[in-house]
Amino acid sequence: GDSVTQMEGPVTLSEEAFLTINCTYTATGYPSLFWYVQYPGEGLQLLLKATKADDKGSNKGFEATYRKETTSFHLEKGSVQVSDSAVYFCALTNAGGTSYGKLTFGQGTILTVHP
Amino acid sequence: GEEVAQTPKHLVRGEGQKAKLYCAPIKGHSYVFWYQQVLKNEFKFLISFQNENVFDETGMPKERFSAKCLPNSPCSLEIQATKLEDSAVYFCASSPVRGEKLFFGSGTQLSVL
């Protein structure tokens, strides 16, 4: 079945440091890929997405590129802020048929940014 | 409303008791999804609805778990005879049409003692 593997956390950075969180996947067909963020005590928020190979999703300074050849969707940000501290989830869905909304998540990566 | 509303925020049950969780999707959203988040942040898809019809229930445990979305009522997820391993945060999400992003609620923390 489909699966998503994220780098182990937690990740601790100083403000303005460069961030990379690795994500690789295994899926049949042509999945759509997502990064979600979860702030303490809250639900998931969609951060960015990409629906086909070589697409780049971007939002709030975060970027990720859908790499079909390496089955990867790594999250990057050039300069993190304290407010970026949260748990980040990589996810995929095969959107055909009844799979809509049925997301397969990675295990999450805790990011802590210090001033 | 403009957000997915889940109640209660916290629910404590003794083993063997029934637990019922509620979700009010954003007004006008046709799709509702339930997810279970257990230890180590692991998310598991449970079930989805298109209006009041089950869309995909492949993640629902065969026993003890049931869910409904009835017209003019919050959706519900019910667990009969809870077990310790049911302790988790249960998230509901909704979306307006197929293909659009999911909007998640803030979850119900279920603790089974």
Side-chain angles (χ1 to χ4, degrees):
Chain A
D2 298 343
S3 67
V4 176
T5 302
Q6 288 180 234
M7 66 184 285
E8 290 279 338
V11 174
T12 304
L13 296 172
S14 297
E15 206 165 24
E16 298 184 3
F18 183 85
L19 169 70
T20 300
I21 301 178
N22 289 340
C23 170
T24 57
Y25 67 90
T26 302
T28 56
Y30 301 94
S32 295
L33 303 175
F34 306 85
W35 277 100
Y36 281 84
V37 59
Q38 185 178 29
Y39 298 101
E42 297 184 12
L44 294 171
Q45 298 176 28
L46 179 63
L47 183 59
L48 52 84
K49 71 175 184 181
T51 57
K52 61 182 188 295
D54 301 323
D55 266 2
K56 177 187 281 189
S58 61
N59 185 26
K60 299 181 182 179
F62 291 90
E63 292 183 339
T65 301
Y66 190 143
R67 300 284 188 204
K68 191 165 175 62
E69 64 276 15
T70 54
T71 62
S72 65
F73 193 54
H74 304 321
L75 182 68
E76 296 183 337
K77 186 174 186 182
S79 176
V80 293
Q81 306 299 311
V82 172
S83 57
D84 293 327
S85 298
V87 184
Y88 292 81
F89 292 89
C90 185
L92 68 80
T93 186
N94 273 300
T98 58
S99 295
Y100 168 57
K102 185 176 179 180
L103 294 159
T104 299
F105 287 91
Q107 67 268 42
T109 301
I110 299 171
L111 171 65
T112 303
V113 180
H114 293 298
Chain B
E2 290 301 314
E3 63 177 25
V4 177
Q6 290 189 248
T7 55
K9 288 187 95 56
H10 302 280
L11 187 60
V12 180
R13 288 289 179 265
E15 224 179 342
Q17 292 184 316
K18 182 175 77 175
K20 195 163 185 178
L21 292 61
Y22 297 93
C23 168
I26 293 172
K27 192 174 181 181
H29 282 199
S30 303
Y31 288 87
V32 172
F33 309 85
W34 285 99
Y35 282 85
Q36 179 194 53
Q37 184 182 28
V38 295
L39 292 176
K40 292 194 174 181
N41 294 320
E42 181 184 324
F43 274 89
K44 179 189 172 190
F45 168 82
L46 294 175
I47 190 169
S48 59
F49 289 84
Q50 182 180 9
N51 297 311
E52 62 266 27
N53 304 307
V54 174
F55 190 66
D56 183 346
E57 59 181 345
T58 53
M60 280 289 267
K62 298 296 182 203
E63 298 176 354
R64 302 186 299 107
F65 282 67
S66 62
K68 295 179 190 175
C69 277
L70 300 175
N72 303 313
S73 296
C75 295
S76 63
L77 176 68
E78 189 167 313
I79 308 172
Q80 302 287 342
T82 53
K83 297 183 177 182
L84 296 177
E85 63 258 32
D86 298 331
S87 296
V89 182
Y90 291 83
F91 285 99
C92 175
S94 70
S95 73
V97 295
R98 186 166 170 168
E100 288 294 315
K101 73 176 185 180
L102 276 60
F103 293 80
F104 281 82
S106 56
T108 293
Q109 169 88 58
L110 172 65
S111 299
V112 180
L113 307 178

